[in-house]
Every structure is written in C-alpha cells, then in structure tokens.
Amino acid sequence: MSEDVDVEKLASVLNNTGRQGKENFVRMLWNNQPGDIQSQLMPLLNAETRQAIAPSSDGSEQQDT
C-alpha cells in the first residue's frame, strides 16, 4: 500500500496550472498533499504557483465590508 508520487510530474501540473491563473485548483491540489510531499515540491515550484499556495492576508482574515 505504498504511495509512489511522481513529485516532478506533480510539480509540472501545479506550475502549468498556476501559469494559467487557476489558483483555486492549485490550492486544492496542494492542500491534498501530505507535508513530506509538499516539502519535496516546494523547490520545484514557479513564482505563480508559490504565490497561489502562499498563506495570504486577503483570505479569511480580511473581509471587505
């Protein structure tokens, strides 16, 4: 029952999706990865993808009224 994750392929999917501006999909896919996979992915991610997965202050903490 071992899970073999192709980290490079997953990083490619995240990067391509990030370049397409699909931040919600990138965040969903990122959040579904265990911490050890996330740590392996991080060095492979481009700027758009890193920005999409970065904790942001414009999320649930800031509400426009």
Side-chain angles (χ1 to χ4, degrees):
M1 275 185 19
S2 71
E3 261 187 75
D4 290 330
V5 176
D6 187 338
V7 175
E8 290 181 7
K9 184 178 273 190
L10 183 54
S12 176
V13 169
L14 286 165
N15 287 331
N16 288 333
T17 306
R19 277 193 289 272
Q20 294 171 8
K22 299 178 180 176
E23 292 88 3
N24 288 334
F25 181 77
V26 170
R27 278 191 293 273
M28 183 272 305
L29 190 55
W30 175 259
N31 289 329
N32 283 326
Q33 304 309 312
D36 61 325
I37 299 298
Q38 287 181 353
S39 64
Q40 293 176 50
L41 283 169
M42 190 55 79
L44 303 173
L45 301 180
N46 62 26
E48 293 91 350
T49 304
R50 287 176 186 246
Q51 184 176 358
I53 62 172
S56 61
S57 60
D58 64 346
S60 60
E61 291 184 20
Q62 181 181 8
Q63 298 176 354
D64 294 332
T65 54

